[in-house]
Amino acid sequence: MTREPASGRHHAPLPHPGSDGPGPVPDNPHAGRRRTVAFLLLAVSAVTYNDWLLQFLVPTGLDQANSYVSETFAANQPHRVLFSGIELLCACLLILAALCAYRDDERTLARAGWAAIVAFASFSILDVLVPMECAPSVDAQCAPVHAWHTTTSALVHVSLFASMVLFIADARAHGPRGQAGHLRVHRWGRWLLAFSLVAAISTVGPLLGHPGGQGVAQRLHLLSVGLWFLLLGGRTTPLRAPGEPDSSGERSGHWGRKWYGGRRGRCA
């Protein structure tokens, strides 16, 4: 009885223990293009989400240390069209990026994470459509709480932190055999989540009757969100099989052992 040569066998890879699905679909030209588009959109979103940097060039009259970024597109502000337009552009880019990435990501937690990004962007659009009526940092008669705007802002934060939790959980489910992008999310995402959460909580002073410094805290929060988008962008880069060397010569199994504290030796 002859044995079939091993080279002639083609077995589909088994899912990693603890994973919640078969993982991203194999590379194909269309999937590769979609991931590239998603990466570029997320990278641009990381920049446009930090449009507060324009305040160094545009004379808004607002003190960045003690004003909310959303005050730049308050209903009575002179540059509201500029800043609200950038906010809407960023939200649209994020929705497109999430839809591109969602299609080729078959893992349940990851798809839920992309859905949370879509929700985040959608609530950001609502945040612009129901702006603050005035800028409380420069107008003593302006109340810091604007019912609809405060509500949409809260929903934006809930969606953001939900996406972080979901993607970090997904990266953890990949284990040490996960792709490099997933491992980066696992390694840095939890620190970004903690930092971003603390920064966001630090912005509520004016809502509790204790204004001052909320501008610094919010801008630090926005920087951390931009870094989060970059991490997600890295997650959408072309896939490598576990143990396959990348351009730097490192193998995905090597990074898995380093970041997850796995046993020494080759990952089989």
Side-chain angles (χ1 to χ4, degrees):
M1 180 176 180
T2 60
R3 174 177 295 183
E4 181 185 359
S7 59
R9 298 179 181 178
H10 299 281
H11 297 288
L14 295 175
H16 183 267
S19 64
D20 59 350
V25 298
D27 278 333
N28 64 68
H30 295 296
R33 282 194 291 269
R34 283 192 294 268
R35 286 198 296 272
T36 299
V37 169
F39 168 77
L40 293 174
L41 291 175
L42 287 165
V44 175
S45 298
V47 176
T48 54
Y49 195 69
N50 284 277
D51 59 347
W52 59 270
L53 293 169
L54 282 177
Q55 288 186 258
F56 290 110
L57 302 176
V58 179
T60 61
L62 301 173
D63 179 8
Q64 294 209 56
N66 299 297
S67 65
Y68 289 122
V69 174
S70 55
E71 293 183 46
T72 59
F73 55 89
N76 66 347
Q77 291 302 296
H79 301 290
R80 65 179 301 267
V81 174
L82 171 64
F83 287 98
S84 61
I86 295 175
E87 294 280 334
L88 291 174
L89 172 63
C90 178
C92 291
L93 293 178
L94 284 172
I95 290 175
L96 291 175
L99 292 178
C100 286
Y102 181 93
R103 182 170 180 178
D104 298 310
D105 208 329
E106 295 186 343
R107 297 178 66 86
T108 303
L109 288 173
R111 283 197 160 190
W114 292 121
I117 291 294
V118 172
F120 168 85
S122 300
F123 289 131
S124 295
I125 292 175
L126 289 178
D127 208 40
V128 174
L129 297 180
V130 287
M132 305 175 76
E133 298 174 0
C134 47
S137 65
V138 294
D139 185 354
Q141 303 301 316
C142 181
V145 178
H146 299 253
W148 285 109
H149 183 78
T150 301
T151 300
T152 55
S153 295
L155 293 173
V156 166
H157 284 85
V158 170
S159 302
L160 169 68
F161 295 130
S163 77
M164 289 184 167
V165 170
L166 288 167
F167 278 116
I168 292 170
D170 173 73
R172 187 174 183 82
H174 270 78
R177 296 173 67 93
Q179 302 297 333
H182 300 97
L183 296 174
R184 284 191 289 268
V185 169
H186 178 271
R187 184 182 188 186
W188 300 108
R190 49 188 173 176
W191 296 108
L192 274 179
L193 171 59
F195 180 86
S196 187
L197 183 59
V198 170
I201 293 174
S202 300
T203 67
V204 302
L207 306 181
L208 302 177
H210 301 284
Q214 69 272 12
V216 174
Q218 187 181 41
R219 284 156 178 80
L220 289 175
H221 167 72
L222 297 180
L223 285 173
S224 70
V225 176
L227 291 175
W228 174 242
F229 293 158
L230 292 177
L231 270 184
L232 292 183
R235 190 185 181 282
T236 65
T237 52
L239 303 177
R240 290 189 294 113
E244 179 183 343
D246 61 12
S247 59
S248 66
E250 295 287 358
R251 296 176 179 270
S252 60
H254 167 82
W255 288 104
R257 292 194 302 276
K258 179 179 179 181
W259 290 1
Y260 283 79
R263 293 179 299 176
R264 296 180 60 186
R266 181 183 176 186
C267 287

